[in-house]
Amino acid sequence: MSRPLILLAVLALGCTTEPGETWVEVDTVINCEDAVRCQENIEVESKDDLIAVSRCESVDGFVKYGQWGGAACADLPCLTSVTEFLRIENNDSVTSLDGLVSLVSVGESFHIYLNDSLTSVDIPSLESVGGLMVISGNSRLSNLAIPSLSSIGDCLVIGNNNALTSLDTPSLRSLDCLHISGNESLTSFDGSSILGSVDRHLSIKYNDALTTLDLSSLTSVGDDLRIWNNDSLTSLDGLSSISSVGDDLVIGNNNALTSLDGLSSISSLGGYL
């Protein structure tokens, strides 16, 4: 199937919702069939940088998208892979990452960090992140969709996104550790797709509105398990399949929690309770 032409323009026209439809510069026409392998690190600091990376199908190196007062969206619909890290951080202009519609893999870490205007992260094709994935400090982020993400080589950190109300990882099967912290409007986390074990830490803390926590397919935590300061959490039934914790088990200051019955399957504990 041919990939359609792309018109690119730095205008406040919103982001693409389908591969091959984006705006970065008037009169610049790019066909994703002609997108190339870019063998260099890319830092997006200007309109010209954005146009350059928009021609990349893959980047052998890193991509860093920082503050430059430009487009309202990181609109890179031809980009399918980055071999090193991808960072979108400290940018007050970007409101949406929906333009990363074709991104499938990031070889190392993926940071979406301290973007004050960012309201939507919808990356439908992303399947794997080789290292750490951090989505943190985006105070207006209300929509987070990573429906195809199945593996993370290091930790998944979702923190201090104050407008985020729900978190669902429907395809995520494996990761090294998990930290969900300081998302004050988050009411539910569905991590029921996570199979087997979290190899290191699992921490759910300071999510004041969290009422629903589902990690029902998780059977073991390699290091410590901490459920701490979630004022609205009433049940730990979503942890009922966990049978072993390799280090400390810490459950505390969850003011609405009246029962620990959800932990009744734990038969092996390597540290303190």
Side-chain angles (χ1 to χ4, degrees):
M1 180 181 296
S2 62
R3 301 178 73 183
L5 294 178
I6 300 173
L7 297 178
L8 297 173
V10 179
L11 298 173
L13 297 178
C15 287
T16 182
T17 57
E18 297 293 337
E21 298 175 359
T22 186
W23 296 89
V24 179
E25 182 182 44
V26 172
D27 298 328
T28 299
V29 179
I30 294 177
N31 187 336
C32 275
E33 287 187 340
D34 299 326
V36 298
R37 177 182 175 184
C38 297
Q39 296 179 295
E40 59 185 359
N41 298 327
I42 297 175
E43 296 194 39
V44 180
E45 298 177 333
S46 68
K47 179 177 69 174
D48 290 340
D49 293 337
L50 182 57
I51 293 167
V53 73
S54 296
R55 295 184 172 96
C56 299
E57 180 177 35
S58 62
V59 174
D60 290 350
F62 67 73
V63 176
K64 185 176 181 181
Y65 195 114
Q67 178 64 48
W68 61 280
C73 54
D75 214 353
L76 308 172
C78 299
L79 186 65
T80 62
S81 65
V82 177
T83 61
E84 295 184 17
F85 66 76
L86 172 57
R87 293 182 183 172
I88 301 168
E89 58 188 16
N90 293 298
N91 191 304
D92 295 334
S93 301
V94 169
T95 61
S96 171
L97 299 188
D98 297 358
L100 295 174
V101 67
S102 298
L103 184 66
V104 174
S105 66
V106 177
E108 296 180 3
S109 62
F110 188 0
H111 286 69
I112 302 169
Y113 181 63
L114 291 177
N115 301 289
D116 290 342
S117 300
L118 184 65
T119 61
S120 177
V121 174
D122 187 353
I123 311 176
S125 301
L126 183 65
E127 296 177 359
S128 66
V129 174
L132 184 69
M133 184 167 189
V134 177
I135 302 173
S136 182
N138 307 289
S139 59
R140 298 181 184 178
L141 180 65
S142 59
N143 175 51
L144 174 57
I146 42 176
S148 301
L149 183 64
S150 61
S151 68
I152 299 173
D154 202 318
C155 296
L156 173 61
V157 179
I158 309 290
N160 301 305
N161 304 291
N162 292 336
L164 188 65
T165 59
S166 64
L167 177 60
D168 184 8
T169 57
S171 300
L172 188 60
R173 298 290 184 266
S174 64
L175 71 167
D176 197 46
C177 60
L178 176 64
H179 297 278
I180 311 295
S181 176
N183 304 285
E184 61 183 29
S185 301
L186 185 69
T187 61
S188 66
F189 171 43
D190 185 350
S192 59
S193 65
I194 300 172
L195 301 176
S197 66
V198 170
D199 294 335
R200 291 165 55 205
H201 313 283
L202 193 160
S203 176
I204 312 289
K205 61 184 181 180
Y206 295 104
N207 303 288
D208 293 343
L210 185 68
T211 60
T212 303
L213 173 62
D214 188 351
L215 292 165
S216 54
S217 297
L218 187 65
T219 58
S220 66
V221 177
D223 287 336
D224 55 284
L225 168 59
R226 297 176 183 268
I227 311 293
W228 185 264
N229 278 97
N230 303 286
D231 288 343
S232 302
L233 188 65
T234 60
S235 171
L236 298 178
D237 289 350
L239 304 177
S240 61
S241 296
I242 297 177
S243 60
S244 67
V245 176
D247 205 333
D248 297 344
L249 173 60
V250 180
I251 310 293
N253 294 338
N254 303 289
N255 293 334
L257 188 65
T258 59
S259 170
L260 299 179
D261 289 349
L263 303 177
S264 60
S265 296
I266 295 177
S267 58
S268 174
L269 179 64
Y272 293 105
L273 174 62

